[in-house]
Amino acid sequence: MTQPNERHALVIGGSIAGLLAAQVLTKYFNRVTIIERDHLSAQPEQRPGVPQAHHLHVLLKRGLDILEQLFPGIQTELAASGAVAINASADYLWYGLGGWTPRFNSDLNVYSLSRNLLEWIIRRRLATNNRVVFVQAIVTGLLSNPNKTQVTGVQVRRKFDERQDNSPKQTDFTADLVVDASGRNSLAPGWLEAMGYTPPKETVINSFLGYASRLYQLPENFPADWQGALVTAKAPGTRGGVMSAVEGNRWIVTLAGIGRDYPPTDEAGFLDFARSLRNPIIYEAIKDAQAISPVRAYHRTENRWLHYEKLSRLPSGFVLIGDAVCAFNPVYGQGMTTAALGALTLDESLSKQLSRHADGNLVGLSRSFQQQLSKRITVPWLMATGEDFRWHTTVGGRPNWMTQLMQYYLDQVLLVAAESPDIHKLFLEVMHLLKPPSVFFHLSVLRQVLQRIIKKSDQNWNRSGYNRTPTVY
């Protein structure tokens, strides 16, 4: 048994999910190693392993709160680094199902910034912790004890200084706990199968959504009192877009199309696509703005859940987190916040495990953690897939009658929200994962939805002519 002052945890992947997991691990382990295949720059720069970093990323209010909990004072660092402070209900224009939603000040204060900047700020915080070590290498497999019941580390291939040694070299890293945060490209199913375990079943729901993004420098006299604008697609229509201020006095524009209605990547096509949205606000803002980046596309947007929580056997000393378990359609902006929820779940699971086993015994942690994580994943999964099921081109399943009923009811909530600040705020709180969707069924909400349905029904009845005054002969 490893002595308490020698316990070592290892994280595969230096993305946001991996970084947040590493911060949690520093509470319970004397050493934490983060193995990342990309070179990690001392500046907030693009890296090959995160191709979607070119596009708009959203850290929901729940994610921001967890980030502050894990790294006290980090919001001050975000602001000092140029992140744009945004009040979600006042500074963001939203053209939704019922048109423009109300604008008002609330406590939904978040930040808009690039993925590269956010990841760099978190990584910079971690680098000041003397328990954390970053290693540039590629993990090629898991190490285990002789009877394959426990993961004991990883095998990696790394390059040393090319002036000294240009050939790949295998190295073993032993650890008491290995956390796979390597994202959608995780090789864990194959690793587990090689150890004699059944790989997890997979659920994939794909609406074939693709998006394209571009950075703009807007004119200094840009006449807007807002920091972002969202135009959602309205089924059966397939096109939507979002525009948001980010650091450096820049704006990022992301256009999305569902059912392979992908936005073009040439300048004229990109602008034409923006002009075709349900509302022209984004097109009007960018048509004369200075573009400062190429148009970059991304099409890997399927919802994908590997059901580790359903496996009857898992080796101890190994857990999976973030997109390595469940990856969402990125257009709904849930990924980073769900990664933060995963880190919080890991914290809770380790605290409970080590309170029962002061000697550091981790037997049983793997299954209990994956099961608890699945509970945290369920709500954002249902929100994302429920939206994707609105389009008939979506594959991976069909909406049952309950899903269709929920879609209809949610549509009514959105239509009420276009007229009611209170309902719109409630919807934003659910969207930011602060409240569960069940709040939509509270009596006060249900009453307003039913009143709207009855009112609409009466209007349709009157228009049909059945309520006209009869002619007297």
Side-chain angles (χ1 to χ4, degrees):
M1 182 71 65
T2 306
Q3 296 301 310
N5 62 349
E6 297 176 354
R7 291 175 186 155
H8 178 215
L10 185 147
V11 179
I12 306 171
S15 66
I16 288 175
L19 297 175
L20 298 185
Q23 176 67 3
V24 166
L25 294 172
T26 60
K27 295 173 59 177
Y28 305 98
F29 295 86
N30 183 255
R31 293 184 298 125
V32 178
T33 300
I34 302 171
I35 298 182
E36 168 56 49
R37 65 187 302 156
D38 288 341
H39 169 70
L40 299 176
S41 173
Q43 300 299 323
E45 297 175 354
Q46 178 70 29
R47 59 187 181 88
V50 193
Q52 72 273 29
H54 292 293
H55 307 275
L56 178 64
H57 279 66
V58 176
L59 184 63
L60 303 176
K61 184 65 167 67
R62 181 69 172 121
L64 182 62
D65 290 346
I66 296 173
L67 193 63
E68 182 69 26
Q69 179 181 334
L70 295 177
F71 298 95
I74 199 168
Q75 291 191 56
T76 302
E77 293 183 40
L78 294 176
S81 299
V84 180
I86 287 180
N87 185 273
S89 57
D91 297 329
Y92 239 78
L93 307 184
W94 186 357
Y95 193 80
L97 189 65
W100 292 115
T101 55
R103 294 179 66 188
F104 52 91
N105 285 312
S106 68
D107 56 356
L108 295 171
N109 296 308
V110 292
Y111 289 93
S112 180
L113 70 166
S114 68
R115 163 67 183 261
N116 292 336
L117 179 60
L118 179 61
E119 188 176 297
W120 174 74
I121 290 173
I122 299 171
R123 191 167 66 240
R124 187 175 62 178
R125 266 293 192 100
L126 271 174
T128 64
N129 190 324
N130 58 14
R131 293 190 176 200
V132 178
V133 174
F134 288 86
V135 174
Q136 185 184 2
I138 299 172
V139 176
T140 58
L142 299 175
L143 304 175
S144 67
N145 61 352
N147 59 7
K148 310 294 185 183
T149 59
Q150 179 181 350
V151 170
T152 60
V154 299
Q155 187 176 61
V156 307
R157 186 175 74 249
R158 60 187 298 187
K159 275 190 173 183
F160 293 93
D161 190 326
E162 292 188 358
R163 293 169 297 181
Q164 302 172 15
D165 185 358
N166 194 35
S167 61
K169 187 170 182 179
Q170 295 290 140
T171 308
D172 290 348
F173 282 79
T174 59
D176 300 281
L177 179 65
V178 174
V179 178
D180 184 357
S182 58
R184 286 179 180 261
N185 296 321
S186 170
L187 300 176
W191 294 339
L192 289 174
E193 192 169 18
M195 290 176 61
Y197 291 85
T198 303
K201 292 184 178 180
E202 181 180 38
T203 300
V204 178
I205 297 174
N206 193 351
S207 65
F208 299 100
L209 179 145
Y211 52 88
S213 299
R214 196 174 204 186
L215 285 168
Y216 288 87
Q217 197 87 51
L218 292 187
E220 292 184 5
N221 59 348
F222 181 61
D225 63 345
W226 42 270
Q227 300 285 5
L230 171 65
V231 179
T232 60
K234 181 179 179 180
T238 58
R239 296 184 174 189
V242 61
M243 177 178 184
S244 188
V246 293
E247 73 276 4
N249 193 31
R250 300 173 300 168
W251 291 69
I252 185 168
V253 174
T254 296
L255 305 178
I258 300 164
R260 296 189 175 90
D261 182 18
Y262 300 140
T265 55
D266 63 286
E267 182 161 357
F270 190 79
L271 285 173
D272 284 344
F273 195 97
R275 184 164 41 196
S276 73
L277 302 186
R278 293 173 53 226
N279 186 281
I281 187 170
I282 294 176
Y283 170 75
E284 292 296 334
I286 66 173
K287 65 178 182 179
D288 297 318
Q290 179 186 356
I292 55 175
S293 81
V295 179
R296 295 184 173 95
Y298 189 75
H299 296 166
R300 192 178 178 186
T301 62
E302 69 278 6
N303 302 283
R304 175 177 175 268
W305 189 344
L306 292 162
H307 296 283
Y308 289 99
E309 80 282 359
K310 295 183 178 180
L311 294 179
S312 59
R313 293 174 60 242
L314 274 172
S316 64
F318 184 60
V319 298
L320 303 99
I321 201 168
D323 284 4
V325 177
C326 187
F328 302 90
N329 185 337
V331 78
Y332 302 119
Q334 299 173 312
M336 295 193 299
T337 297
T338 306
L341 287 168
L344 201 62
T345 306
L346 181 62
D347 193 358
E348 294 166 354
S349 297
L350 280 169
S351 177
K352 188 174 182 179
Q353 177 82 14
L354 296 178
S355 68
R356 293 196 304 252
H357 303 281
D359 62 351
N361 189 327
L362 299 180
V363 173
L365 174 70
S366 299
R367 286 197 67 207
S368 64
F369 168 73
Q370 301 303 155
Q371 289 168 357
Q372 290 303 310
L373 181 63
S374 72
K375 295 177 182 178
R376 284 258 166 83
I377 289 170
T378 297
V379 168
W381 173 266
L382 291 175
M383 291 169 66
T385 57
E387 284 300 301
D388 279 352
F389 275 139
R390 290 180 182 275
W391 284 270
H392 72 277
T393 52
T394 298
V395 300
R398 302 308 312 160
N400 57 27
W401 68 269
M402 180 59 74
T403 300
Q404 292 174 323
L405 182 62
M406 288 294 296
Q407 288 173 345
Y408 173 78
Y409 182 77
L410 183 58
D411 285 349
Q412 303 310 308
V413 172
L414 286 168
L415 290 169
V416 172
E419 303 167 356
S420 167
D422 290 340
I423 301 300
H424 181 52
K425 183 174 187 290
L426 189 66
F427 187 86
L428 288 174
E429 289 170 335
V430 172
M431 189 177 77
H432 281 261
L433 300 181
L434 297 170
K435 292 182 178 178
S438 58
V439 298
F440 293 141
F441 296 93
H442 287 181
L443 187 58
S444 60
V445 181
L446 187 60
R447 183 185 300 115
Q448 293 184 63
V449 169
L450 290 176
Q451 286 173 346
R452 188 191 182 282
I453 292 174
I454 292 170
K455 180 180 178 181
K456 189 69 174 176
S457 178
D458 286 345
Q459 290 173 346
N460 290 339
W461 180 268
N462 291 335
R463 280 198 297 268
S464 70
Y466 290 105
N467 201 33
R468 292 173 185 161
T469 303
T471 302
V472 178
Y473 294 96

